[in-house]
Amino acid sequence: MSNIAVIPARSGSKGLVDKNIKKLCDKPLIAYTIEAAINSGIFDCVHVSTDSKKYAEIAKIYGADVPFLRGVEFATDTANIPDAVKEALHNYSKIGRKFDVVAILQPTTPLRSSKDICNAYQLFCDKEAISVVSVCEVDYSPFLCNTIKEDLSLNGFTNIKGEIRRQDIDTYYRINGGIYMMNVDVLNNMKELYGSRSYAYIMDKRNSIDIDDEFDFQLAEYIMSRKYDNDFILVGEV
Protein backbone atom coordinates (compact mmCIF):
# COMPACT_ATOMS: atom_id res chain seq x y z
CA MET A 1 0.00 0.00 0.00
CA SER A 2 1.05 3.57 -0.62
CA ASN A 3 0.32 5.83 2.33
CA ILE A 4 0.01 9.60 2.69
CA ALA A 5 -0.41 11.77 5.77
CA VAL A 6 -2.29 15.00 5.16
CA ILE A 7 -1.90 17.71 7.79
CA PRO A 8 -4.61 20.38 7.32
CA ALA A 9 -3.31 23.83 8.25
CA ARG A 10 -5.23 26.74 6.78
CA SER A 11 -4.17 30.21 7.86
CA GLY A 12 -7.51 31.73 8.83
CA SER A 13 -7.85 30.71 12.49
CA LYS A 14 -10.15 33.10 14.36
CA GLY A 15 -10.03 31.80 17.95
CA LEU A 16 -6.23 31.82 18.18
CA VAL A 17 -4.67 33.79 15.36
CA ASP A 18 -2.06 31.85 13.36
CA LYS A 19 -2.24 29.03 15.89
CA ASN A 20 -0.87 26.45 13.44
CA ILE A 21 2.50 28.23 13.38
CA LYS A 22 2.40 29.72 16.89
CA LYS A 23 5.51 28.75 18.87
CA LEU A 24 4.79 25.92 21.30
CA CYS A 25 7.83 25.59 23.53
CA ASP A 26 10.62 25.83 20.95
CA LYS A 27 8.83 24.98 17.68
CA PRO A 28 5.83 26.04 15.60
CA LEU A 29 2.73 24.05 16.52
CA ILE A 30 2.60 22.36 13.13
CA ALA A 31 6.15 21.01 13.49
CA TYR A 32 5.15 18.44 16.13
CA THR A 33 2.66 16.73 13.83
CA ILE A 34 5.00 16.82 10.84
CA GLU A 35 7.81 15.23 12.85
CA ALA A 36 5.51 12.60 14.40
CA ALA A 37 4.26 11.61 10.94
CA ILE A 38 7.77 11.41 9.48
CA ASN A 39 9.18 9.54 12.49
CA SER A 40 6.41 6.94 12.31
CA GLY A 41 8.03 5.66 9.11
CA ILE A 42 4.75 4.51 7.57
CA PHE A 43 4.11 7.30 5.06
CA ASP A 44 5.40 7.67 1.54
CA CYS A 45 4.44 11.33 1.70
CA VAL A 46 3.75 13.78 4.53
CA HIS A 47 1.79 16.66 3.02
CA VAL A 48 0.70 19.91 4.63
CA SER A 49 -2.50 21.27 3.11
CA THR A 50 -2.34 25.04 3.50
CA ASP A 51 -3.42 28.17 1.70
CA SER A 52 -0.45 30.16 3.04
CA LYS A 53 2.98 30.48 1.43
CA LYS A 54 4.39 31.34 4.86
CA TYR A 55 2.93 28.18 6.40
CA ALA A 56 4.21 26.14 3.46
CA GLU A 57 7.77 27.40 3.91
CA ILE A 58 7.69 26.60 7.63
CA ALA A 59 6.29 23.14 6.90
CA LYS A 60 9.08 22.44 4.42
CA ILE A 61 11.71 23.36 7.01
CA TYR A 62 10.42 20.50 9.19
CA GLY A 63 10.37 18.00 6.32
CA ALA A 64 6.85 18.18 4.91
CA ASP A 65 6.02 17.97 1.22
CA VAL A 66 4.13 21.04 -0.02
CA PRO A 67 4.30 21.10 -3.84
CA PHE A 68 1.10 23.14 -4.12
CA LEU A 69 -1.13 25.35 -1.99
CA ARG A 70 -4.72 24.67 -1.03
CA GLY A 71 -7.30 26.32 -3.28
CA VAL A 72 -9.09 29.34 -1.81
CA GLU A 73 -12.46 27.57 -2.04
CA PHE A 74 -11.15 24.93 0.37
CA ALA A 75 -9.70 27.42 2.87
CA THR A 76 -12.82 29.30 4.01
CA ASP A 77 -14.44 29.11 7.46
CA THR A 78 -17.13 26.83 6.03
CA ALA A 79 -14.84 24.52 4.05
CA ASN A 80 -14.47 20.99 5.41
CA ILE A 81 -11.30 18.96 5.83
CA PRO A 82 -12.33 15.94 3.70
CA ASP A 83 -12.80 18.20 0.67
CA ALA A 84 -9.38 19.76 1.24
CA VAL A 85 -7.85 16.28 1.48
CA LYS A 86 -9.58 15.17 -1.73
CA GLU A 87 -8.20 18.27 -3.44
CA ALA A 88 -4.67 17.36 -2.27
CA LEU A 89 -5.00 13.78 -3.53
CA HIS A 90 -6.33 15.03 -6.87
CA ASN A 91 -3.37 17.40 -7.25
CA TYR A 92 -0.93 14.60 -6.44
CA SER A 93 -2.60 12.36 -9.02
CA LYS A 94 -1.94 15.03 -11.65
CA ILE A 95 1.79 14.71 -10.98
CA GLY A 96 1.67 10.91 -11.07
CA ARG A 97 1.38 10.09 -7.37
CA LYS A 98 -1.53 7.99 -6.13
CA PHE A 99 -2.19 6.64 -2.64
CA ASP A 100 -4.21 3.82 -1.12
CA VAL A 101 -4.37 4.97 2.50
CA VAL A 102 -4.66 8.49 3.87
CA ALA A 103 -4.18 9.64 7.46
CA ILE A 104 -5.56 13.03 8.43
CA LEU A 105 -3.44 14.39 11.27
CA GLN A 106 -4.64 17.68 12.70
CA PRO A 107 -1.81 19.94 13.92
CA THR A 108 -3.93 21.04 16.87
CA THR A 109 -3.21 17.69 18.57
CA PRO A 110 0.56 18.16 18.98
CA LEU A 111 1.10 15.58 21.71
CA ARG A 112 -0.02 12.73 19.48
CA SER A 113 3.21 10.76 19.07
CA SER A 114 4.77 8.75 16.27
CA LYS A 115 4.10 5.69 18.43
CA ASP A 116 0.38 6.56 18.43
CA ILE A 117 0.42 6.76 14.65
CA CYS A 118 2.27 3.45 14.34
CA ASN A 119 -0.12 1.72 16.73
CA ALA A 120 -3.14 3.08 14.86
CA TYR A 121 -1.69 1.83 11.58
CA GLN A 122 -0.99 -1.59 13.10
CA LEU A 123 -4.64 -1.76 14.20
CA PHE A 124 -5.70 -0.68 10.72
CA CYS A 125 -3.72 -3.52 9.16
CA ASP A 126 -4.55 -6.19 11.77
CA LYS A 127 -8.29 -5.55 11.51
CA GLU A 128 -8.19 -5.16 7.72
CA ALA A 129 -10.12 -1.99 8.49
CA ILE A 130 -11.39 0.65 6.14
CA SER A 131 -10.87 3.28 8.83
CA VAL A 132 -9.36 3.85 12.27
CA VAL A 133 -10.18 6.91 14.36
CA SER A 134 -8.41 7.94 17.55
CA VAL A 135 -10.41 8.41 20.74
CA CYS A 136 -9.67 9.05 24.40
CA GLU A 137 -11.56 8.60 27.63
CA VAL A 138 -13.82 11.51 28.58
CA ASP A 139 -13.26 13.34 31.85
CA TYR A 140 -16.86 12.99 32.97
CA SER A 141 -19.61 10.50 32.21
CA PRO A 142 -22.54 11.78 30.13
CA PHE A 143 -24.69 10.74 33.10
CA LEU A 144 -23.15 13.63 35.04
CA CYS A 145 -23.67 16.20 32.27
CA ASN A 146 -26.72 18.08 31.03
CA THR A 147 -27.95 21.51 30.01
CA ILE A 148 -28.99 24.05 32.68
CA LYS A 149 -32.37 25.75 32.70
CA GLU A 150 -32.62 29.54 32.83
CA ASP A 151 -33.74 29.43 36.48
CA LEU A 152 -30.68 27.24 37.33
CA SER A 153 -32.91 24.43 38.56
CA LEU A 154 -31.28 21.00 38.77
CA ASN A 155 -34.63 19.24 38.59
CA GLY A 156 -34.17 16.32 36.17
CA PHE A 157 -30.50 17.14 35.64
CA THR A 158 -29.53 13.49 36.04
CA ASN A 159 -31.52 10.28 35.91
CA ILE A 160 -29.14 8.51 38.30
CA LYS A 161 -31.10 7.33 41.32
CA GLY A 162 -29.29 7.69 44.63
CA GLU A 163 -25.54 7.70 44.97
CA ILE A 164 -23.36 6.01 42.39
CA ARG A 165 -19.65 5.31 42.56
CA ARG A 166 -17.45 6.52 39.72
CA GLN A 167 -16.10 3.01 39.20
CA ASP A 168 -19.65 1.73 38.64
CA ILE A 169 -20.24 4.05 35.68
CA ASP A 170 -19.34 2.77 32.21
CA THR A 171 -16.29 4.27 30.55
CA TYR A 172 -17.11 6.69 27.74
CA TYR A 173 -14.83 7.92 24.98
CA ARG A 174 -14.71 10.92 22.66
CA ILE A 175 -13.14 11.43 19.26
CA ASN A 176 -9.99 13.42 19.97
CA GLY A 177 -9.07 14.62 16.47
CA GLY A 178 -5.58 13.17 16.59
CA ILE A 179 -5.76 10.46 13.91
CA TYR A 180 -8.21 9.70 11.11
CA MET A 181 -6.80 6.84 9.03
CA MET A 182 -8.76 5.42 6.13
CA ASN A 183 -8.77 3.88 2.70
CA VAL A 184 -8.81 6.70 0.16
CA ASP A 185 -12.22 5.53 -1.10
CA VAL A 186 -13.79 6.42 2.27
CA LEU A 187 -13.31 10.11 1.44
CA ASN A 188 -16.10 9.74 -1.12
CA ASN A 189 -18.50 8.31 1.46
CA MET A 190 -17.64 9.65 4.90
CA LYS A 191 -20.48 7.67 6.50
CA GLU A 192 -18.16 4.66 6.25
CA LEU A 193 -15.73 6.38 8.61
CA TYR A 194 -17.82 5.00 11.49
CA GLY A 195 -19.10 1.83 9.89
CA SER A 196 -18.83 -1.86 10.66
CA ARG A 197 -15.22 -2.07 9.46
CA SER A 198 -14.12 0.99 11.41
CA TYR A 199 -12.20 0.75 14.68
CA ALA A 200 -11.21 2.98 17.57
CA TYR A 201 -7.60 3.57 18.48
CA ILE A 202 -7.56 4.55 22.16
CA MET A 203 -5.06 7.29 22.97
CA ASP A 204 -3.88 8.43 26.38
CA LYS A 205 -5.70 11.56 27.56
CA ARG A 206 -2.36 13.31 28.04
CA ASN A 207 -1.63 12.95 24.33
CA SER A 208 -5.13 14.06 23.32
CA ILE A 209 -5.15 17.79 24.03
CA ASP A 210 -6.89 19.58 21.17
CA ILE A 211 -5.76 23.20 20.93
CA ASP A 212 -8.61 25.57 20.21
CA ASP A 213 -7.84 28.59 22.39
CA GLU A 214 -5.15 30.17 24.55
CA PHE A 215 -5.98 28.01 27.58
CA ASP A 216 -5.52 24.82 25.55
CA PHE A 217 -2.24 26.19 24.23
CA GLN A 218 -0.92 26.95 27.71
CA LEU A 219 -1.98 23.50 28.93
CA ALA A 220 -0.12 21.80 26.08
CA GLU A 221 2.90 23.97 26.80
CA TYR A 222 2.87 22.95 30.45
CA ILE A 223 2.65 19.24 29.64
CA MET A 224 5.42 19.51 27.06
CA SER A 225 7.64 21.17 29.64
CA ARG A 226 7.43 18.04 31.80
CA LYS A 227 9.52 14.93 31.28
CA TYR A 228 7.70 11.62 30.98
CA ASP A 229 8.79 8.13 30.06
CA ASN A 230 9.26 6.97 26.46
CA ASP A 231 5.62 5.94 26.16
CA PHE A 232 4.70 9.60 26.23
CA ILE A 233 6.85 12.46 25.07
CA LEU A 234 10.26 13.81 26.01
CA VAL A 235 10.52 17.55 25.71
CA GLY A 236 12.50 19.83 27.99
CA GLU A 237 13.43 19.14 31.58
CA VAL A 238 11.48 18.58 34.78
Side-chain angles (χ1 to χ4, degrees), residues 5-63:
V6 177
I7 302 170
R10 72 183 185 94
S11 60
S13 174
K14 297 293 193 297
L16 193 59
V17 177
D18 277 336
K19 68 179 175 183
N20 286 320
I21 59 170
K22 184 177 171 67
K23 278 288 185 72
L24 178 63
C25 292
D26 62 339
K27 288 183 287 193
L29 178 65
I30 196 172
Y32 293 95
T33 296
I34 294 170
E35 291 177 344
I38 291 172
N39 291 338
S40 73
I42 66 172
F43 299 111
D44 302 285
C45 177
V46 175
H47 172 69
V48 169
S49 170
T50 182
D51 57 315
S52 165
K53 291 182 179 179
K54 181 179 179 180
Y55 283 29
E57 290 306 312
I58 292 172
K60 290 174 185 177
I61 290 171
Y62 290 93

Side-chain angles (χ1 to χ4, degrees), residues 4-212:
I4 182 174
V6 177
I7 302 170
R10 72 183 185 94
S11 60
S13 174
K14 297 293 193 297
L16 193 59
V17 177
D18 277 336
K19 68 179 175 183
N20 286 320
I21 59 170
K22 184 177 171 67
K23 278 288 185 72
L24 178 63
C25 292
D26 62 339
K27 288 183 287 193
L29 178 65
I30 196 172
Y32 293 95
T33 296
I34 294 170
E35 291 177 344
I38 291 172
N39 291 338
S40 73
I42 66 172
F43 299 111
D44 302 285
C45 177
V46 175
H47 172 69
V48 169
S49 170
T50 182
D51 57 315
S52 165
K53 291 182 179 179
K54 181 179 179 180
Y55 283 29
E57 290 306 312
I58 292 172
K60 290 174 185 177
I61 290 171
Y62 290 93
D65 188 46
V66 196
F68 40 76
L69 295 180
R70 189 191 301 190
V72 292
E73 66 271 34
F74 301 112
T76 65
D77 290 340
T78 57
N80 63 56
I81 290 176
D83 284 343
V85 174
K86 283 191 280 188
E87 180 212 27
L89 295 177
H90 176 68
N91 285 337
Y92 273 111
S93 71
K94 290 195 295 185
I95 57 176
R97 301 191 69 181
K98 293 191 176 182
F99 302 94
D100 303 300
V101 176
V102 57
I104 302 172
L105 307 175
Q106 298 186 112
T108 47
T109 313
L111 277 73
R112 168 237 304 102
S113 66
S114 58
K115 183 175 181 180
D116 284 320
I117 297 171
C118 288
N119 288 344
Y121 185 63
Q122 188 64 56
L123 178 66
F124 182 86
C125 295
D126 289 347
K127 293 287 189 179
E128 297 183 352
I130 63 169
S131 68
V132 165
V133 177
S134 61
V135 302
C136 67
E137 186 177 339
V138 298
D139 292 325
Y140 300 100
S141 168
F143 290 112
L144 303 176
C145 303
N146 208 331
T147 56
I148 296 289
K149 300 176 179 66
E150 288 186 10
D151 65 358
L152 305 182
S153 170
L154 286 175
N155 182 39
F157 183 85
T158 175
N159 59 8
I160 296 176
K161 306 299 181 183
E163 292 187 13
I164 187 167
R165 299 181 305 167
R166 182 182 179 90
Q167 58 267 38
D168 292 332
I169 300 176
D170 289 339
T171 301
Y172 281 78
Y173 297 87
R174 65 173 177 85
I175 295 166
N176 68 3
I179 302 169
Y180 296 88
M181 189 173 292
M182 66 199 80
N183 290 334
V184 167
D185 292 344
V186 173
L187 286 169
N188 295 319
N189 184 6
M190 292 300 288
K191 291 180 180 179
E192 295 182 4
L193 189 63
Y194 305 105
S196 60
R197 292 178 58 200
S198 303
Y199 296 89
Y201 170 64
I202 300 174
M203 275 174 56
D204 192 298
K205 286 196 294 184
R206 294 177 302 181
N207 294 36
S208 298
I209 292 175
D210 183 18
I211 295 178
D212 186 51

